[in-house]
């Protein structure tokens, strides 16, 4: 483990007075471990509104398509939060104000007011966000290779953390982050929205309360949109891009547009950026997008604090020396200690995208299947869908993932997908990725997070060291 990781995981400074107030207010009202008790707005400010001094100050780190479409709007609309800092290595993205017609169009589409963001602190360096006293929590929406280093630095700075999935690019880094979050007792939310989708939430509630009998088999898929791309010619770095900061923990590499991101606009399309196709910054659909359904698999199986014990299958890889070189396809089988089998494959570049994503839970008395885009729920027998699930039997909140995070920042409760749970869900995908790389059956010990007696596989639990000072080993 590098000194940089040890430093980031060290003890954090004292919490801000605003957060201590919110936590104390939650404690005074009497909180439940299962369902957070919220601080009434009337108790925080006049006229039923949250006083500005008691709003959760949010620092947005990363302003790409995911942040603009899904993350920033929720925080900007929240009455008990205030976006106080914006950070992105692309300076043009920081021009998110009412003076920018493209930004205004986005704000109108997602129904939030840009006026409150006029005074936001703006920077290309996330460290400046973490140094601010008005930032209570951060939303990390960066390329995957930056998730763990920034989250660790935020924990060290005493911030609560909402971080896009997946938890890093390897199991070793996820373990470091989960341990650091637990030691610091920060509020951490792995940002995957699938636990907040009503149909997926209901499917898990039916499984966890025994409505399909004893769970035996789970089947799920994730999309792989990627296509191979040869290495592209080196290009001049755009003036508005801090490319060295974008690379961060990754090895030095020449700039070319398709390594980084897409068009210079907030509103044009929703195509995935170039880094999504390169193994240095992302493991592809198997680990990135696949975290969503696999997290629901873990939740439904009651294995969200552990993992499978056996993995077998294979995958298809393009030439490793290409610019876009992530896995193109995979077909995997997992076995858990409780005997449940998980079958995980991709929808394919030609057979469908995210609309084909589903999780099907099969039990001794029937099955239930939740689908994504458009969301729907199916079961056999159909009577399963009308079975009553009592709140005391499934005591989890159904709420937007950012709302879950804000509620827990105020009450100091555990989020629905904290760092440990997020790490375990990412690990399921990463185990499959390792299996595809080796092309053989693997045995896994989820307690030690090692492949017993398998040095070749264990070497793939970590990544090769990157550059100082961000490298993690």
């Amino acid at each position: 483990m590098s000194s940089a990781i040890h430093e980031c995981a060290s003890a954090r400074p004292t919490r801000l007075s605003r957060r201590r107030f919110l936590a104390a207010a939650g404690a005074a009202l009497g909180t439940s471990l299962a369902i957070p008790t919220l601080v009434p707005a009337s108790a925080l400010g006049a006229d039923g509104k949250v006083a500005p001094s008691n709003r959760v100050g949010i620092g947005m780190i990363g302003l790409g398509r995911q942040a603009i479409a899904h993350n920033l709007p929720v925080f900007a609309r929240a009455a008990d939060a205030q976006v106080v800092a914006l950070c992105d290595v692309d300076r043009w993205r920081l021009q998110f104000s009412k003076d920018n017609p493209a930004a205004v169009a986005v704000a109108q589409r997602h129904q939030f007011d840009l006026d409150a963001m006029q005074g936001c602190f703006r920077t290309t360096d996330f460290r400046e966000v973490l140094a601010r006293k008005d930032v209570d929590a951060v939303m990390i929406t960066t390329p995957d290779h930056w998730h763990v280093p920034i989250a660790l630095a935020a924990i060290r700075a005493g911030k609560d953390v909402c971080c896009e999935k997946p938890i890093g690019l390897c199991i070793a880094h996820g373990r470091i982050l989960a341990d650091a979050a637990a030691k610091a007792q920060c509020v951490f939310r792995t940002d995957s929205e699938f636990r907040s989708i009503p149909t997926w939430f209901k499917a898990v509630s039916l499984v966890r309360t025994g409505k399909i009998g004893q769970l035996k088999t789970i089947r799920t898929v994730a999309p792989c949109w990627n296509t191979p791309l040869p290495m592209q010619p080196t290009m001049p770095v755009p003036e508005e891009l801090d490319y060295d900061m974008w690379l961060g923990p990754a090895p030095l590499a020449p700039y070319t547009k398709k390594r980084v991101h897409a068009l210079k606009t907030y509103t044009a399309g929703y195509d995935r950026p170039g880094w999504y196709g390169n193994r240095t910054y992302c493991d592809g659909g198997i680990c990135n997008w696949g975290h969503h359904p696999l997290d629901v698999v873990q939740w439904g199986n009651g294995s969200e604090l552990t993992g499978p014990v056996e993995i077998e299958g294979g995958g298809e890889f393009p030439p490793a020396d290409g610019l876009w070189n992530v896995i193109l396809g995979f077909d995997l089988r997992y076995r858990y200690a409780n005997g449940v089998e998980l079958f995980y494959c991709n929808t394919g570049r030609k057979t469908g995208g995210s609309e084909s994503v589903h999780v099907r839970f099969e039990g001794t008395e029937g099955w239930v299947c939740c689908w994504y885009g458009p969301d729907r729920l199916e079961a056999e027998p159909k009577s399963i869908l009308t079975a009553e699930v009592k709140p005391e039997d499934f005591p989890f909140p159904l709420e937007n993932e950012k709302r879950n995070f804000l509620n827990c920042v105020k009450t100091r409760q555990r989020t629905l997908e904290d760092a440990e749970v997020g790490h375990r869900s990412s690990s399921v995908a990463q185990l499959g990725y390792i299996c595809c790389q080796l092309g053989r059956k693997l045995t896994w010990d989820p307690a030690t997070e090692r492949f017993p007696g398998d040095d070749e596989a264990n070497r793939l639990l970590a990544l090769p060291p990157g550059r100082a000072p961000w490298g993690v080993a």
Side-chain angles (χ1 to χ4, degrees), residues 200-220:
W200 292 64
F201 182 94
K202 183 174 181 180
V204 172
S205 74
L206 293 169
V207 175
R208 290 279 293 262
T209 56
K211 301 303 185 294
I212 66 169
Q214 183 181 353
L215 180 61
K216 292 293 187 180
T217 304
I218 310 173
R219 304 180 192 275
T220 191

Side-chain angles (χ1 to χ4, degrees), residues 54 147 202 343 364 430:
N54 294 324
H147 288 181
K202 183 174 181 180
F343 294 89
T364 55
Q430 290 160 348

Side-chain angles (χ1 to χ4, degrees), residues 4-258:
I5 281 294
H6 276 301
E7 183 182 2
C8 288
S10 62
R12 58 186 181 153
T14 306
R15 288 278 178 192
L16 302 178
S17 59
R18 175 191 336 207
R19 188 172 310 149
R20 288 201 301 272
F21 171 85
L22 291 169
L29 290 168
T31 57
S32 164
L33 290 177
I35 303 177
T37 301
L38 305 185
V39 182
S42 59
L44 298 180
D47 302 322
K49 297 181 179 179
V50 181
S53 60
N54 294 324
R55 294 175 189 157
V56 179
I58 301 294
M60 298 290 303
I61 300 177
L63 295 170
R65 63 182 188 85
Q66 183 70 15
I68 298 303
H70 297 288
N71 299 345
L72 175 63
V74 180
F75 289 119
R77 290 194 302 263
D80 53 355
Q82 183 173 4
V83 178
V84 297
L86 300 175
C87 175
D88 198 278
V89 295
D90 264 308
R91 293 175 183 86
W92 71 266
R93 293 188 190 276
L94 299 174
Q95 300 169 9
F96 207 80
S97 69
K98 62 182 180 180
D99 300 322
N100 183 342
V104 170
V106 170
Q108 290 175 343
R109 181 183 307 120
H110 296 288
Q111 300 180 336
F112 67 91
D113 188 0
L114 282 175
D115 287 339
M117 297 172 59
Q118 285 299 102
C120 272
F121 174 75
R122 298 162 196 257
T123 180
T124 61
D125 191 333
F126 72 91
R127 294 169 295 185
E128 294 183 353
V129 173
L130 300 183
R132 293 185 64 86
K133 292 184 178 180
D134 60 347
V135 173
D136 299 313
V138 294
M139 174 73 243
I140 301 171
T141 319
T142 64
D144 296 355
H145 71 292
W146 260 121
H147 288 181
V148 170
I150 294 178
L152 286 170
I155 291 170
R156 183 188 176 215
K159 312 302 182 184
D160 291 326
V161 177
C162 190
C163 182
E164 275 289 342
K165 55 74 195 158
I167 300 294
L169 295 177
C170 68
I171 291 173
H173 294 179
R175 171 45 54 208
I176 292 169
L177 179 58
D179 287 347
K183 181 178 180 180
Q185 297 182 352
C186 73
V187 172
F188 191 104
R189 172 71 201 220
T190 308
D191 196 73
S192 169
E193 72 271 19
F194 276 40
R195 294 191 184 207
S196 302
I197 300 174
T199 50
W200 292 64
F201 182 94
K202 183 174 181 180
V204 172
S205 74
L206 293 169
V207 175
R208 290 279 293 262
T209 56
K211 301 303 185 294
I212 66 169
Q214 183 181 353
L215 180 61
K216 292 293 187 180
T217 304
I218 310 173
R219 304 180 192 275
T220 191
V221 299
C224 273
W225 295 276
N226 301 102
T227 56
L229 183 72
M231 195 59 67
Q232 301 293 291
T234 298
M235 301 177 179
V237 177
E239 183 179 352
E240 67 270 15
L241 172 64
D242 186 339
Y243 183 56
D244 188 65
M245 182 61 82
W246 184 89
L247 285 171
L252 287 169
Y255 174 82
T256 188
K257 182 177 180 180
K258 291 187 178 180

